[in-house]
Amino acid sequence: MSAAAVRALSPLQMEVREGLSRPQKELSPKLFYDRRGSLLFEEITRLPEYYLTRAERELLATRMPEPIARLKPRTLVELGAGSADKTRLLLDAIRAASGHGGSDGTYVPIDVSAEFLREVSDRLGEERPALRVLPVVADMSESLELPQVLPRPALFALLGSTIGNFDTMDAVALLRRVRDAMCPEDRFLLGVDLRKDPRVIEAAYNDAAGVTAEFNRNVLRVLNRELGANFDPHDFVHRAFYEPHAHRIEMHLVARRALCVTIPGVGTVGFREGESIRTEISCKYDRDTVYGLFADAGLALDEWIRGDGPAYALALASPVP
């Protein structure tokens, strides 16, 4: 492909072309999240194997009202908002702590799926008429642009262990963007999945109902729709496994047979039988790892909140002056 032809490619074509040219073919997990993918992920969070959501919800409900009562945030900024289901626990705590005549304050949900974000924002607006909702359609892995004027203090939140989808360098870059958007009185809440028995972790990404497998293959349907590719999702098998040295889950789509796929603007991509596309990583943490990520991003770990078991933790941080 000539240099001029490469320059004419869309950002998505460029990203897919680069990812599928690597020795280990790779696609960004943000491609999961069209409306269908977002709904599939919400279904995953309700599966018996997927402990993360239940563990996080319990901590949000039982352990966050006290620090929120101290902080008294007037704005909640949520990165990767999704359905905002667990967010309601934070919004309830913010309303209870409010010194503003019972106002629900301001909620800024940030998500890459415009359609899903619009539906969630409309639903929250109907449920909570006193809540000011300012949705932002954005890819948090690339930028973090907020409405210019927000009531402070603000609580920034990245829940669901979404930070685990980024390698160390990209995770620090994301946290640095959050830090740069914060005022001194703001705080940042991070949900992290903890290191534990790999069998427990692997089960969460290989559910018996096959919902995660369908979610994984959805990335191919997105490429078919957005780029006119001719992937047959059934030519690929879902595989998820724990990589102990990197302390992370890797999700792959493995070719059932040798095949070629055509992607307009990208070209023809060949697959050997058994060759895979890595579609997601999900890093698992301990307190020292999170402390190091925060330190590199200009954040100070103020509180480490975890339940009785080893499953999950919430980390509350403040910006370093």
Side-chain angles (χ1 to χ4, degrees):
M1 186 176 291
S2 68
V6 170
R7 287 194 296 271
L9 296 179
S10 70
L12 179 56
Q13 287 172 319
M14 290 283 288
E15 183 177 4
V16 170
R17 180 175 183 267
E18 196 276 329
L20 294 182
S21 299
R22 297 175 184 175
Q24 169 59 70
K25 291 180 171 66
E26 191 167 14
L27 291 170
S28 168
K30 69 185 177 185
L31 295 173
F32 290 133
Y33 295 101
D34 62 352
R35 185 176 187 278
R36 181 175 184 272
S38 297
L39 291 172
L40 282 169
F41 182 73
E42 292 306 314
E43 186 176 350
I44 288 170
T45 66
R46 296 188 290 270
L47 294 170
E49 299 95 335
Y50 199 79
Y51 60 86
L52 290 84
T53 301
R54 292 188 298 277
E56 186 175 64
R57 175 184 289 277
E58 181 181 1
L59 291 176
L60 291 172
T62 62
R63 304 292 295 277
M64 281 308 298
E66 193 274 332
I68 285 177
R70 293 197 315 267
L71 176 62
K72 290 182 171 54
R74 300 177 64 193
T75 297
L76 174 62
V77 179
E78 185 177 13
L79 289 77
S83 70
D85 185 35
K86 291 172 294 185
T87 311
R88 289 167 171 82
L89 297 170
L90 294 176
L91 292 173
D92 287 345
I94 289 171
R95 177 166 52 189
S98 172
H100 312 291
S103 168
D104 283 5
T106 300
Y107 176 50
V108 183
I110 302 171
D111 203 272
V112 71
S113 175
E115 183 180 3
F116 199 62
L117 186 61
R118 183 173 59 252
E119 291 176 5
V120 169
S121 299
D122 290 345
R123 189 162 61 246
L124 272 176
E126 293 173 0
E127 293 174 7
R128 300 166 183 258
L131 178 67
R132 183 185 181 212
V133 183
L134 302 175
V136 175
V137 179
D139 179 2
M140 63 181 173
S141 68
E142 296 180 358
S143 64
L144 182 57
E145 296 183 10
L146 301 177
Q148 287 190 343
V149 179
L150 289 176
R152 305 284 179 157
L155 177 64
F156 289 72
L158 178 58
L159 302 175
S161 202
T162 303
I163 192 67
N165 297 151
F166 299 86
D167 63 25
T168 300
M169 182 175 67
D170 289 339
V172 170
L174 170 58
L175 296 175
R176 171 60 71 175
R177 283 192 288 275
V178 174
R179 163 64 186 87
D180 290 345
M182 295 173 72
C183 293
E185 68 271 26
D186 295 340
R187 294 295 180 268
F188 174 58
L189 179 65
L190 180 68
V192 290
D193 193 18
L194 300 179
R195 297 170 186 173
K196 60 183 75 66
D197 186 340
R199 292 172 295 183
V200 174
I201 300 174
E202 286 188 337
Y205 296 83
N206 293 282
D207 61 276
V211 181
T212 308
E214 190 61 21
F215 173 71
N216 197 5
R217 283 191 288 265
N218 193 60
V219 71
L220 304 180
R221 292 186 171 90
V222 170
L223 292 184
N224 287 348
R225 185 185 67 247
E226 296 297 325
L227 296 182
N230 64 345
F231 282 100
D232 182 345
H234 298 291
D235 280 336
F236 292 83
V237 178
H238 165 74
R239 182 177 178 231
F241 60 91
Y242 188 70
E243 209 297 303
H245 299 293
H247 300 288
R248 72 186 191 191
I249 280 281
E250 292 194 9
M251 284 211 322
H252 291 247
L253 290 169
V254 183
R256 296 177 185 268
R257 59 183 178 86
L259 57 94
C260 290
V261 175
T262 301
I263 308 175
V266 175
T268 299
V269 182
F271 292 86
R272 303 181 305 275
E273 180 181 353
E275 188 176 8
S276 74
I277 308 170
R278 185 168 61 205
T279 54
E280 183 178 75
I281 63 171
S282 185
C283 300
K284 309 304 172 185
Y285 301 96
D286 56 21
R287 180 171 180 157
D288 288 344
T289 309
V290 173
Y291 181 91
L293 290 176
F294 281 175
D296 290 343
L299 294 163
L301 178 60
D302 294 334
E303 296 185 50
W304 179 255
I305 304 166
R306 55 180 295 176
D308 296 332
Y312 205 84
L314 297 173
L316 192 63
S318 55
V320 175

